[in-house]
Amino acid sequence: MNDAAAPAGNGQGRLVQLLFYVAVLAGWYAVTRAGLVNPIVLPPLDKVLAAIPGVVASAQFGADLATTLFEVFCAFVLAAVAGLLVGYVVGRSPRRIAEYEPLLSAVYAVPLVLFFPLFVLFFGLGIASKVAIGAAIAFFPIVLNTIAGFANVNPVHLAAARLMGASPGQIMRHVMVPSALPVVTTGLRMGLIVALLGCLGTETIAATGGLGYRMVALAELMDTVEEYAYIVLIIVIAALLNALAGWAEARAHRLMGAR
Amino acid sequence: MPEIAMSARGVSHAYGVPGSASHVATLDDVSLDVRRGELLALIGPSGCGKTTLLNMFASLVRPLRGTIEVDGQPVTGPMPRKVAFVFQEHALFPWNTIRDNIGLALKFQGVAKPEAAERAAHALEAVGLADFADHFPGQLSGGMKQRASLARALSLDTEFILMDEPFAALDEQTRIVLGEDLSALLSRTRKTIVFVTHSLGEAVLLADRVAIFSARPGRITGIIDIDEPHPRRSQFATSEKFNRLRGDIFGLLHDEIRKSIDDSVHRRSGAAA
Ligand SMILES: Nc1ncnc2c1ncn2[C@@H]1O[C@H](COP(=O)(O)OP(=O)(O)OP(=O)(O)O)[C@@H](O)[C@H]1O
Ligand SMILES: [Mg+2]
């Protein structure tokens, strides 16, 4: 829309982000170099960075990464299918919005962390409990955004399409989906990120593998250098997932004839 | 072919539940015939029910009482091949370029792609937007959006066109030029157009007949014949006849507008008491 402003705004945003990362790393480096903190609590930055290639090359990291990503993938797919379906059905009817939207918002506000141990109890130590938690957490931003997206389709657009002879399928494809898309894809992106959070979180409580499990194990061994290497890598993975989601979002918008 | 293209018979309508504060009677026993091939203008005080009546011809609103017919048939649903509609607030899809907006409308109507592309280009040319075909509605000015939605309706090439203040956001000059084009279109084809407007000048310049509405709930208080052949040129707007007709319509409208303003003052003081 504002062709001139967008790139400049983006550039500025990126600069702020970059400055933030540099500041964090510089702070870390300075604090550890100056000996202000116990190296067990926060090992020096250069040591952590030096440990990363070894971690990445290890078979264990590969296996943990595969486990976690597989859990996140399953959780996200389940949450997306359920969230989009329920969101569409509820969002298309003002009566159902009045009935279910407040309920879903209320449940969303319950800290699901409380139920992590119960999920482990029900679904066991393996992958299933992580998928269940990840899916449960990711479901809410997806369903709430999908409801908002489909509830706010402009009725004039719907009427115009109907008067011009659009079939129900055409109305779906050419009016409802493109209209709801920006809000729905934001929900999906949030869902993906919280699915990762849920899976990692549950792994730290009780698991047999995965990145979260490995971090706890390393902490118990007091191997904080490797622990921090894992933290850095997980942050990088989260950023990559977010970038992937952003890319998919942009592509979907283009396919729909972006605004 | 019947000479009556569209008709409203004894039509009444209200929004909201009777007795509640939201209840608004919009139309009161309106009867109106639209003749085939004419351009009928609807003019009246704001909020008197013009859009409501136009929406009835398009099947978007149902009358509480009375009947609405288009082409001899009671209106039961959209008639995409027969009736095109221009909304008061343009209804272009913001996620499509204006070329695609028109292409999509033709696709909905069932026109094959190559023909649709040609007709879209032609329609945009006709409203002076050929250079903006690949812009999104959000990148256009208000008047350009209105012209684009006019182009979309005309590209559908229906026999009946319903227009809700299609020129409202245009500047005077563009309005006159597009009005001339519309008048030329009327002289070439036998299209039937019902047209809501706020502008006395626009009504006289374009219409074959002007139906004047009372304040809400709308009744038709008079119909003025503008006996002037199409295509009309802008010179007509400076003629003696034009001014006389404009004055006649204003005379009929003036009291109603006064009434509708007094009524809303009344409503407010009533609500405050
Ligand atoms: N969707 C709606 N729900 C409830 N009341 C409505 C609705 N649309 C219109 N109204 C009421 O009906 C009355 C008539 O509306 P309508 O849009 O037909 O007026 P109009 O003559 O087109 O006015 P304008 O010239 O301002 O466009 C208005 O006074 C408004 O209060
Ligand atoms: Mg109106």
Side-chain angles (χ1 to χ4, degrees), chain A residues 157 162-165 174 178 257-258, chain B residues 58 80 92 95 104-105 107-108 136:
Chain A
H157 290 151
R162 259 189 296 120
L163 290 186
M164 294 184 295
H174 293 289
Chain B
L92 299 165
W95 46 86
L104 202 53
K107 177 177 173 174
F108 290 162
F136 290 93

Side-chain angles (χ1 to χ4, degrees), chain A residues 6-247:
Chain A
N10 258 339
Q12 216 160 31
R14 220 159 275 155
L15 188 68
V16 170
Q17 281 174 29
L18 197 69
L19 282 177
F20 174 75
Y21 297 138
V22 170
V24 168
L25 292 177
W28 182 353
Y29 184 77
V31 164
T32 47
R33 263 294 139 134
L36 292 176
V37 289
N38 184 335
I40 299 287
V41 176
L42 183 63
L45 173 63
D46 40 333
K47 272 197 179 167
V48 172
L49 292 181
I52 285 177
V55 170
V56 172
S58 69
Q60 186 152 73
F61 177 78
D64 288 337
L65 179 65
T67 304
T68 302
L69 285 184
F70 180 67
E71 290 162 3
V72 172
F73 174 78
C74 294
F76 176 72
V77 169
L78 281 176
V81 169
L84 291 173
L85 221 69
V86 174
Y88 171 73
V89 170
V90 173
R92 285 314 302 150
S93 145
R95 187 177 56 80
R96 281 194 293 266
I97 291 175
E99 286 167 359
Y100 295 106
E101 209 264 358
L103 179 68
L104 288 165
S105 297
V107 178
Y108 187 31
V110 174
L112 274 178
V113 187
L114 296 176
F115 299 99
F116 281 14
L118 281 180
F119 271 77
V120 174
L121 210 60
F122 289 147
F123 294 99
L125 284 177
I127 283 175
S129 58
K130 284 81 201 171
V131 172
I133 283 272
I137 289 188
F139 172 74
F140 290 96
I142 297 176
V143 77
L144 289 171
N145 278 277
T146 307
I147 290 175
F150 282 102
N152 292 320
V153 177
N154 184 343
V156 173
H157 290 151
L158 291 174
R162 259 189 296 120
L163 290 186
M164 294 184 295
S167 65
Q170 285 175 322
I171 289 180
M172 185 71 186
R173 159 74 179 82
H174 293 289
V175 183
M176 299 221 260
V177 170
S179 168
L181 197 68
V183 184
V184 173
T185 50
T186 302
L188 286 170
R189 195 143 56 90
M190 285 162 63
L192 181 61
I193 297 307
V194 297
L196 176 66
L197 194 123
C199 292
L200 283 173
T202 323
E203 282 173 1
T204 62
I205 291 177
T208 53
L211 296 171
Y213 166 79
R214 193 65 51 206
M215 281 186 54
V216 175
L218 291 169
E220 277 163 5
L221 294 173
M222 299 285 266
D223 188 349
T224 46
V225 171
E226 204 163 313
E227 163 108 10
Y228 273 92
Y230 265 83
I231 291 178
V232 170
L233 285 168
I234 290 171
I235 290 173
V236 169
I237 290 162
L240 286 177
L241 273 182
N242 196 27
L244 181 75
W247 173 83

Side-chain angles (χ1 to χ4, degrees), chain B residues 13-16 22-27 44-55 88 164-165 196-198 213 216 267:
Chain B
H13 179 265
Y15 285 108
S22 67
H23 184 253
V24 180
T26 49
L27 294 171
S46 177
C48 71
K50 304 179 295 293
T51 295
T52 305
L53 182 63
L54 202 70
N55 283 345
Q88 183 162 1
D164 201 350
E165 303 191 34
V196 176
T197 179
H198 269 132
F213 276 71
R216 189 184 52 229
R267 264 189 169 230

